Amino acid sequence: MGNLLGSILHGASSMRAFEQGLNVVQSNVSNAQTPGYVKQTQDFESLSFGLDKGLPGGVALGPLLSARDENAEQTVRRQQSASASADQRASDLSQIEPVFDVTEGSGVAGALSRFFNTFSQLSVAPNSNPSRQAVLDGAKSLAQSVNQSASALTTASGVADRDITNTVDGINRVLGQIASSNVEFQKRFDANKDPGLDAALHKSLEELSQFVDFTALKADDGTTTVLIGGQTPAVIGDKVYALSQDFAGSQARVLNVRGQDISGQIGGGRIGALLTTRNVTIPSYLNDLNNLASSLADSVNTALSGGLDAGGNVPATPLFTYNPANGAAQTLNVNALNPEDIAAASAAAPGGNANALALADLGRSRQVNGFTFTEFYGNLAGRVGRDVATAQNDQQSRGALLTQAKSLREASSGVSIDEEAAKLIEFQKSYQAAAKMISVLNDMLDTLMGILK
C-alpha cells in the first residue's frame, strides 16, 4: 500500500510539473510581442526509478531556461547604435541641403549671377543712374541671400543644440530605468529567474543604444554596469552618473557627472551624429560661406576703389561691409551709397565704362581658392549634396544590417507561436496521462481498502 500511495503522490507531483510547463507556454504566448522578452523553456528532471528500493520514478520540475543570447543582444545593440546615428545624420543633412539651392536663378548662385550682370549692363550705359541703382540693388540682393544662408546654418546649429539636450535627457532617463532594474536584482534572490525583469532590462539597454554607444557589463549579482563609449561609468549598481551638455564655447560638449568633456569618447547613436553635425559639418559649411563672402566683398571693393565715380572722384566708401569677428557671411551688408557713388569709369578714362567692364569680368575670374565665385559656391553646394547622398546610403545599409541582426536574434530566442502550440499539446497530453494514472491508482486503492474491510 505504501508504494501505491507513493505512486499517487508522485503522479500528483508530475501533474504539478506539467501544469508549470503549461504556465510557461501561456507566458511565452502572452509576451510574444513584449519588447525585450525572449522564449522561456521549462526543463524537467526524471526522478529515480527502483521499485525494490521504493522509488516509483516520475518527473520533477527542473530549472526555467531562458533563450537569451547575449552575443545576439550585443550585435543588435551595436547595429541599433550605428543605424540610429545614420538616421540622425541623414535627417540633419536633409534639413541643411535646401539652404544650398543651386536651381537656376535661385539662392546665392542666382544672386551672384545677377549681381555681376548689373556691371555688364552698366558698361553699356556707364552714366545711367538707373543702371548704377541696379548695381546697388543687385549687391543688396546678393548680401541678403548670403545672410539668409548663413542664418539658416546658424539656425540648424541651434536645432542641433536642442536635439543634443533632448538626447542627453533621454540617455539619463534610460540610465535611471537600468538602475531601477539593478535595484530589483539586488533586492530579490530569485531575480535572475524573472523573465519579466530580464525583458525590462534588455528593453532599456536596446533603447539606450539608439541614443549612444556603450558597453554593458553583467555582474554576478545580476546587475548591469553601463560604460558610455566603453569608458565613462554611467550606471553602477543602483547609482546613476548622469550626463549633461555644454554650449558655452564654439563646440557643443557632452560632460560626465564631474563636468569633464567626454564628447571624444562618443562615436555612435544619435548623440554621436548630432555632435558631428554641430561641431564639424555645420562649421565647415559656414567657413566656406564666410570665405566666399569675404573674398567677394574684398575683391569688389578693391576693384571699385581703383575707379572713378560719376563725379570723377575715387569712391570714399566701399560697396560692401562685413564684420569678420561675427562671420563675414552673416554680417555681409551694403553701405548706404548713392547711384553716383558707383565707380564705373577707370582713372585713365573719366566718364567711361572701363571699370564696369573690369567688374563684370571679375565674376568670371578665379578669385577664391582657384575658382570663380559661382564655381566655389557650386563646389560647396555639391559637397553638401554628396554628404546628403552618403548619409542616405549609409542610412539604408545600416538599417538593413539592423534588420538582419534582429532577425537572427528572433530566430534564436524569439517566441514561435507554432512551437508553443506543439508544446501546449505535449504538456496537455502528459498532464492527462498523469491524471489518468492517478485515477487508476485511486481505483486500485479503493478496491484494496474494500478488501481489507
Side-chain angles (χ1 to χ4, degrees), residues 9-86:
L9 290 175
H10 281 83
S13 176
S14 297
M15 289 181 65
R16 287 193 295 270
F18 295 133
E19 183 180 8
Q20 177 62 22
L22 288 168
N23 291 336
V24 172
V25 169
Q26 179 183 356
S27 178
N28 283 341
V29 173
S30 299
N31 288 284
Q33 301 302 319
T34 300
Y37 187 87
V38 297
K39 176 178 60 181
Q40 306 294 311
T41 301
Q42 179 61 60
D43 196 19
F44 298 96
E45 296 178 355
S46 176
L47 297 176
S48 298
F49 178 76
L51 295 179
D52 57 330
K53 299 178 182 179
L55 301 175
V59 64
L61 282 175
L64 182 63
L65 304 178
S66 171
R68 179 80 64 193
D69 184 342
E70 288 298 339
N71 289 329
E73 296 291 344
Q74 291 176 17
T75 299
V76 169
R77 291 198 293 265
R78 184 169 58 251
Q79 295 299 341
Q80 180 78 70
S81 181
S83 179
S85 179

Side-chain angles (χ1 to χ4, degrees), residues 8 66 210 344 353 442:
I8 292 175
S66 171
Q210 297 181 41
N353 67 350
N442 187 59

Side-chain angles (χ1 to χ4, degrees), residues 295-307 318-319 355 359 362:
S295 297
L296 171 71
D298 292 345
S299 298
V300 172
N301 288 344
T302 298
L304 286 171
S305 67
L319 176 62
N355 207 36
L359 280 156
L362 187 65

Side-chain angles (χ1 to χ4, degrees), residues 355-396:
N355 207 36
L357 289 171
L359 280 156
D361 288 338
L362 187 65
R364 296 184 288 271
S365 62
R366 303 183 183 280
Q367 298 290 318
V368 196
N369 298 347
F371 298 99
T372 68
F373 298 116
T374 301
E375 287 173 345
F376 184 83
Y377 182 79
N379 289 338
L380 171 57
R383 180 157 68 92
V384 174
R386 288 191 298 274
D387 288 347
V388 172
T390 299
Q392 291 174 342
N393 289 335
D394 191 40
Q395 181 184 31
Q396 293 178 358

